[in-house]
Amino acid sequence: PLYSSAASDVYKRQVPDGDYTAAIERLAGIKAPCGNFIDASGKVIGTHRGITHYTVGQHRGLGLSLPERRYVCSIDAENSTVTLGGSDELYSSTAEVRGFNWISGETPAEPIRCTAKIRYRQPEQPATAIAHKDGSITIQFDAPQRAVTPGQAAVLYDGDTVLGVIPEKYSRVRS
């Protein structure tokens, strides 16, 4: 069982050669179709090998020759598009989070000041969390964060106390 295995052991078994794309294709049983690289306005600027080859914030290995460095800003699996932009387009002050789990079991009625982490190694960042009736929350960071990416966990803190976590997805909102 995976629950009794260290993460590094699971990684070695599932991705023995370090090829994430091949592992995703093997485990999911599908291959991501090729698609278009687009800019923020939707203009096609090239083609890509499939969305599984890219991650938000990536700038190497895009296979494009462009006059300026471009980064993956978002990935749209439904339309098989990868949006590219400048480094300034990677920053967002807001994350919309679905399925948030408040440790206390009670959803705050008012916005709360807290710190938030959206990456394992990221220092806690000052923010305001706004809970919604549907169980989602909006995290409004005091300063824009780089590459807020769906699929990463979000954790809210009040000092050393964990207020809540999101083990599922959240989506980036540009501000």
Side-chain angles (χ1 to χ4, degrees), residues 66-149:
L66 299 169
E68 298 175 345
R69 181 177 281 182
R70 290 288 172 232
Y71 297 83
V72 174
C73 293
S74 65
I75 298 170
D76 181 345
E78 188 174 316
N79 295 304
S80 193
T81 58
V82 176
T83 303
L84 302 180
S87 63
D88 60 320
E89 294 176 73
L90 287 174
Y91 288 84
S92 176
S93 294
T94 307
E96 296 292 331
V97 180
R98 296 181 303 275
F100 195 78
N101 179 25
W102 293 98
I103 301 299
S104 69
E106 295 182 24
T107 302
E110 300 292 325
I112 59 168
R113 289 293 299 162
C114 58
T115 57
K117 284 178 68 168
I118 55 173
R119 284 188 180 70
Y120 172 72
R121 292 189 171 118
Q122 176 191 39
E124 295 172 26
Q125 301 296 312
T128 299
I130 303 164
H132 305 290
K133 291 179 183 178
D134 65 359
S136 67
I137 65 167
T138 300
I139 302 172
Q140 182 67 47
F141 293 98
D142 290 4
Q145 303 297 303
R146 186 180 189 279
V148 176
T149 307

Side-chain angles (χ1 to χ4, degrees), residues 38-68:
I38 60 174
D39 65 15
S41 71
K43 177 184 171 192
V44 175
I45 54 178
T47 58
H48 65 72
R49 302 175 292 154
I51 61 168
T52 54
H53 291 270
Y54 310 99
T55 186
V56 174
Q58 177 181 342
H59 70 89
R60 294 186 181 162
L62 300 177
L64 295 174
S65 178
L66 299 169
E68 298 175 345

